[in-house]
Amino acid sequence: MIKIILAEGHNVVRNGIRLLLDKEADIEVIAEANNAKEVLQLLSDGLKPDIIITAINLPHINGIELLTKVRSTYPEIKLAVLSMVEEEKYIIQAFKAGTTGYMLKSVNEFELVYGIRHMYLVNERYLCNELALRLLDKLLRMPENKFDVHIKDIEISKREVEILSLVSEGFTNQEIADKLFTSKRTIEGHRQDLIAKTGTRNTAALIRYAVLNSIIE
Amino acid sequence: MIKIILAEGHNVVRNGIRLLLDKEADIEVIAEANNAKEVLQLLSDGLKPDIIITAINLPHINGIELLTKVRSTYPEIKLAVLSMVEEEKYIIQAFKAGTTGYMLKSVNEFELVYGIRHMYLVNERYLCNELALRLLDKLLRMPENKFDVHIKDIEISKREVEILSLVSEGFTNQEIADKLFTSKRTIEGHRQDLIAKTGTRNTAALIRYAVLNSIIE
DNA sequence: TGTAAATTAGGTACTTATACTTATTGATTG
DNA sequence: CAATCAATAAGTATAAGTACCTAATTTACA
């Protein structure tokens, strides 16, 4: 039996999730909590869940802080974030804080249950498929795959990359010239060459090109 | 009933997968194939699978090529790659070739079946959890810049994104103003605001910021 | 060792962006 | 209903970048 504490500030949402979980024979919601404090109270009262499912936007103490606290005192308890779509950005923080699972509230009941079982049985972190696909799309969009994005035979020299990088950091031609102990006109010349060879119109477009093609970061 | 063709060059592996799938009431393996040619033959013979599960390292014609061929002739058939660990790198090619699912052979039977159902029922691409975690770790290992910098509560309005996008394409303030039927001074104002709120020094740095933070492409 | 490419540098004219300021309008929201 | 904010717009002055041009070194390499 997988014992769960459900931490979620909104009653409706919490009840909905509970209904879903109660249908499963191998899952038991042993307690619910409205906020982080209640969770910590439950734990110090001696309750021993296998998994704590928590929202991010809990009142007072948010989900990430809760993760950190629980993690340090009860390292054997697994933590799963069930996040609103808008909170996708917390994914990095959550995993750095030691969460085992991260799902968006858009998961269907099958995935919710599957994810919980995966965390408990396979003992592996779980990321919901929608988030996985977002990461995948990021990967697909990344110009790292030099096969088909960096197609054009544009050769950019080391010096040019150096200058491009400084330009992208916001330095002016004069400042770059000073840094590289050369003339402002030289930098201007390089910038011109780069704009010409990349087929861009100005620095803004050049920088976009350079970042998208991983010439610079 | 989810009808499946299983393409895999190694008999032992293929038989193993088949055994797993045959246990499921809603999944039927309607045919097996040793190589890509056999798959194409089966399809031209009129077989209509919902999903083709294929390995990458098929003899003669590899899995990616098979994906492409099937995709162009039978766009309604979903494709799933079941890949050896060593072939992880094909993930990008596979998705670009239109695969719906990608799993490593390290998936357990629950995930294999779950993934198949997910593709078929939810009609969404599926990436196995191990790969999702690898992507996640990539994200976590990345220095602050690439993904999570703009999480610093910087709100960028729709209008600003629109302008940012045009700026990054190389248009001048005047040109952008003409496109948007507004004044050059307005665009200048927006550009200033953006530079201020992103903490950058000029347009070059602003565009770099915007691209790295996926505000624009 | 000769040639191509990279890096350097300058002239001149012109365009564009930036830094500071202020101010009005309309929409949203507590 | 007041407050906030996004979007609008402008003045003024200066800084920076762009479009042409030419041309001298140095470096890489075949």
Side-chain angles (χ1 to χ4, degrees):
Chain A
M1 185 69 90
I2 309 175
K3 295 192 294 291
I4 286 177
I5 290 180
L6 199 52
E8 161 67 55
H10 306 92
N11 284 310
V12 194
V13 180
R14 196 176 60 246
N15 292 336
I17 297 169
R18 170 151 208 171
L19 277 178
L20 292 179
L21 296 181
D22 279 344
K23 288 199 288 185
E24 303 300 318
D26 57 341
I27 295 177
E28 184 189 1
V29 179
I30 59 172
E32 297 181 25
N34 260 303
N35 54 57
K37 258 192 183 151
E38 283 184 27
V39 174
L40 295 170
Q41 187 59 54
L42 287 165
L43 294 177
S44 68
D45 286 349
L47 216 56
K48 296 218 180 304
D50 297 302
I51 301 176
I52 297 172
I53 298 177
T54 178
I56 291 282
N57 63 337
L58 295 174
H60 315 305
I61 302 177
N62 73 32
I64 304 282
E65 293 172 85
L66 177 61
L67 292 183
T68 311
K69 281 181 204 292
V70 173
R71 195 80 195 134
S72 63
T73 319
Y74 312 92
E76 73 285 1
I77 300 177
K78 290 188 169 54
L79 297 150
V81 171
L82 191 57
S83 160
M84 302 295 282
V85 179
E86 301 78 39
E87 298 154 356
E88 178 199 347
K89 59 187 175 184
Y90 292 108
I91 184 171
I92 293 167
Q93 289 175 51
F95 278 101
K96 285 193 172 163
T99 190
T100 305
Y102 201 108
M103 302 190 220
L104 299 176
K105 285 215 176 81
S106 59
V107 292
N108 59 41
E109 56 180 294
F110 302 111
E111 182 160 13
L112 176 63
V113 171
Y114 176 79
I116 291 172
R117 292 208 182 104
H118 197 89
M119 289 169 56
Y120 183 77
L121 297 173
V122 185
N123 205 22
E124 193 178 63
R125 288 172 301 161
Y126 185 79
L127 190 69
C128 74
N129 192 52
E130 184 172 335
L131 280 175
L133 292 178
R134 289 190 199 180
L135 292 185
L136 176 67
D137 286 331
K138 244 163 196 163
L139 183 68
L140 291 178
R141 267 189 271 108
M142 269 196 190
E144 240 175 72
N145 357 298
K146 285 158 190 160
F147 325 110
D148 47 3
V149 181
H150 203 261
I151 13 154
K152 299 153 198 157
D153 302 323
I154 295 174
E155 292 293 338
I156 289 161
S157 70
K158 245 182 18 205
R159 188 62 154 180
E160 286 175 327
V161 174
E162 192 177 11
I163 289 162
L164 212 36
S165 178
L166 290 167
V167 170
S168 82
E169 285 173 48
F171 296 108
T172 66
N173 289 329
Q174 185 59 65
E175 288 169 337
I176 296 169
D178 292 344
K179 273 182 201 291
L180 303 183
F181 302 107
T182 178
S183 150
K184 178 189 163 194
R185 305 311 311 283
T186 303
I187 308 301
E188 283 177 4
H190 282 302
R191 209 188 268 224
Q192 289 278 106
D193 289 346
L194 283 163
I195 288 171
K197 74 166 70 171
T198 56
T200 49
R201 288 186 57 183
N202 55 30
T203 299
L206 172 65
I207 295 303
R208 169 170 173 263
Y209 180 97
V211 175
L212 288 181
N213 290 290
S214 298
I215 298 165
I216 55 170
E217 284 202 353
Chain B
M1 185 67 91
I2 310 175
K3 296 192 294 292
I4 286 178
I5 290 180
L6 200 51
E8 162 64 54
H10 305 91
N11 283 310
V12 193
V13 180
R14 196 175 62 247
N15 292 336
I17 297 170
R18 172 150 208 175
L19 277 178
L20 292 180
L21 295 181
D22 280 345
K23 287 199 290 187
E24 302 301 318
D26 56 340
I27 296 177
E28 183 189 2
V29 179
I30 58 172
E32 297 181 24
N34 260 303
N35 55 57
K37 258 192 184 152
E38 283 184 27
V39 174
L40 295 170
Q41 187 58 52
L42 287 166
L43 294 177
S44 68
D45 285 350
L47 215 56
K48 296 215 179 305
D50 296 303
I51 300 176
I52 296 173
I53 298 178
T54 179
I56 291 283
N57 63 338
L58 295 174
H60 315 306
I61 303 174
N62 73 33
I64 303 284
E65 293 172 83
L66 176 62
L67 293 182
T68 311
K69 281 181 206 291
V70 173
R71 194 85 195 132
S72 63
T73 319
Y74 311 93
E76 74 284 2
I77 299 177
K78 290 190 168 55
L79 296 150
V81 172
L82 191 55
S83 160
M84 301 295 283
V85 179
E86 303 78 39
E87 298 153 356
E88 179 197 346
K89 60 187 175 188
Y90 291 109
I91 185 171
I92 292 166
Q93 288 176 51
F95 277 102
K96 286 195 170 161
T99 191
T100 305
Y102 202 106
M103 301 190 221
L104 298 177
K105 286 214 177 84
S106 59
V107 292
N108 60 40
E109 55 179 297
F110 303 109
E111 182 160 12
L112 176 62
V113 170
Y114 176 80
I116 290 171
R117 291 206 184 106
H118 198 89
M119 289 169 56
Y120 183 77
L121 298 172
V122 185
N123 205 24
E124 193 178 64
R125 288 172 301 161
Y126 185 78
L127 190 68
C128 74
N129 192 50
E130 185 172 335
L131 281 174
L133 293 179
R134 289 190 198 182
L135 292 184
L136 176 66
D137 286 331
K138 213 172 201 168
L139 182 68
L140 292 177
R141 263 186 273 109
M142 276 198 180
E144 294 267 326
N145 56 45
K146 206 121 194 172
F147 284 108
D148 54 345
V149 178
H150 77 112
I151 287 164
K152 290 171 191 158
D153 296 335
I154 293 175
E155 293 292 341
I156 289 162
S157 71
K158 246 182 17 204
R159 189 60 155 179
E160 286 175 328
V161 173
E162 191 177 12
I163 288 162
L164 212 37
S165 178
L166 290 166
V167 170
S168 82
E169 285 172 48
F171 296 108
T172 65
N173 290 329
Q174 185 61 64
E175 288 169 336
I176 295 169
D178 292 344
K179 273 182 201 293
L180 302 182
F181 304 105
T182 179
S183 148
K184 177 191 161 194
R185 305 311 309 283
T186 303
I187 308 300
E188 284 177 3
H190 283 301
R191 208 189 267 223
Q192 289 278 106
D193 288 346
L194 284 163
I195 288 171
K197 75 166 71 170
T198 56
T200 49
R201 288 187 57 182
N202 54 29
T203 299
L206 172 64
I207 296 302
R208 168 171 174 262
Y209 179 96
V211 175
L212 287 182
N213 291 291
S214 303
I215 297 165
I216 55 169
E217 286 193 359

